Amino acid sequence: MKIDLAGRTALVTGAGHGFGRAIAVGLAKVGATVFACDILDDELPETAAIAGPSCHIRRLDVTDAEAIRSTVREIEAAGHGIDILVNNAGGVLGQVGRPIEEISLRDWQGIFDVNLTGAFLTAQALAPGMKARRFGRIVNISSGAGLGISLTGIQAYASAKAGQIGLTRQLAHELGPWNITVNNVAPGFVRSNPASERQWHAMGEDGQEKVLQGIALKRLGTPEDIANAVLFFASEHAGWISGQVLSVDGGK
């Protein structure tokens, strides 16, 4: 199976490092023009350097609806109709697991804003152009936490990722008549960024071994494993697949 995305344009959020960087690089390698976006704009040049000349970078806060619309308008005005959207931006915003009675509304809402509302806003901004071209691929990056429980113990994270899966299924039915597919990749635990590295080391040897023993393949995956799933959903090979959640977790 060969994936060729030549002539396609993709927008990837959260592309400064980790999954987003691997996805942006992977899309560029198979021929797509990529707009790698992140609020961490100091990390984006490295993504572009790895991905090559077909990768362009933009600072973007996915919780800012006007910034998203402005970025989309700029890209489209330059002649790039965005065919592929990868909603990867998210995370726990530096939070750690705490009892529910200690969670402030601000902490709860912040995680929802970046993980769920951000995916809604970017899809909302790109849907009109995809409808006009009668083609689109939207791939949301959730988490195993959205299908079960979160290793972090963060209530908002598990809830927001579960909500993103619901959004995926709903948009698949809403946008399907325009030949727009909407799918979801749910990664297992991967050491992909500073936050996951801190979490891994905080587990200690016993906790790390428990995680590994809960995986059928008895090893952690890589950001490239997640990127490969995205490339499939973005390709013509997945043209009749929509509303689906693919767990990329080594087997649970």
Side-chain angles (χ1 to χ4, degrees):
M1 181 183 296
K2 181 180 179 181
I3 294 176
D4 182 358
L5 296 179
R8 298 296 187 193
T9 297
L11 188 150
V12 182
T13 68
H17 58 216
F19 295 155
R21 175 177 288 174
I23 292 165
V25 170
L27 288 166
K29 284 184 176 179
V30 295
T33 297
V34 180
F35 287 85
C37 304
D38 205 311
I39 195 171
L40 302 173
D41 53 342
D42 59 324
E43 299 187 5
L44 286 171
E46 186 173 350
T47 298
I50 298 169
S54 64
C55 181
H56 311 276
I57 59 177
R58 296 290 187 278
R59 186 187 190 280
L60 182 63
D61 179 352
V62 299
T63 69
D64 185 337
E66 181 50 41
I68 295 169
R69 288 192 293 266
S70 177
T71 298
V72 171
R73 286 195 299 266
E74 177 213 337
I75 293 170
E76 292 184 340
H80 298 284
I82 300 170
D83 307 295
I84 301 161
L85 167 63
V86 184
N87 281 313
N88 172 72
V92 299
L93 304 182
Q95 296 185 39
V96 297
R98 292 169 289 159
I100 189 171
E101 59 268 26
E102 297 180 14
I103 309 301
S104 70
L105 180 58
R106 180 178 180 179
D107 286 346
W108 170 270
Q109 191 61 54
I111 286 179
F112 262 78
D113 287 345
V114 70
N115 288 279
L116 179 54
T117 304
F120 167 79
L121 291 174
T122 49
Q124 183 182 55
L126 268 66
M130 289 181 173
K131 284 182 175 181
R133 292 183 296 276
R134 299 195 66 83
F135 180 88
R137 298 282 189 266
I138 298 175
V139 186
N140 297 321
I141 309 299
S142 61
S143 169
L147 295 168
I149 61 171
S150 174
L151 290 176
T152 66
I154 299 173
Q155 304 88 344
Y157 185 73
S159 302
K161 290 302 190 183
Q164 193 200 77
I165 290 169
L167 177 66
T168 297
R169 291 170 174 150
Q170 193 66 38
L171 289 182
H173 282 268
E174 178 180 342
L175 301 177
W178 287 272
N179 193 35
I180 301 168
T181 66
V182 189
N183 289 292
N184 197 293
V185 176
F189 185 81
V190 178
R191 296 169 64 181
S192 60
N193 56 36
S196 59
E197 282 295 316
R198 287 192 296 271
Q199 186 182 354
W200 177 251
H201 291 295
M203 291 177 187
E205 290 186 5
D206 290 344
Q208 292 169 5
E209 183 62 23
K210 183 177 180 180
V211 169
L212 292 173
Q213 290 307 311
I215 299 172
L217 292 174
K218 308 304 179 193
R219 61 178 175 82
L220 298 182
T222 68
E224 288 70 29
D225 290 318
I226 310 308
N228 288 338
V230 173
L231 293 182
F232 170 67
F233 277 140
S235 75
E236 294 299 327
H237 301 294
W240 205 50
I241 300 174
S242 197
Q244 301 305 304
V245 182
L246 177 60
S247 294
V248 184
D249 57 12
K252 294 291 186 179

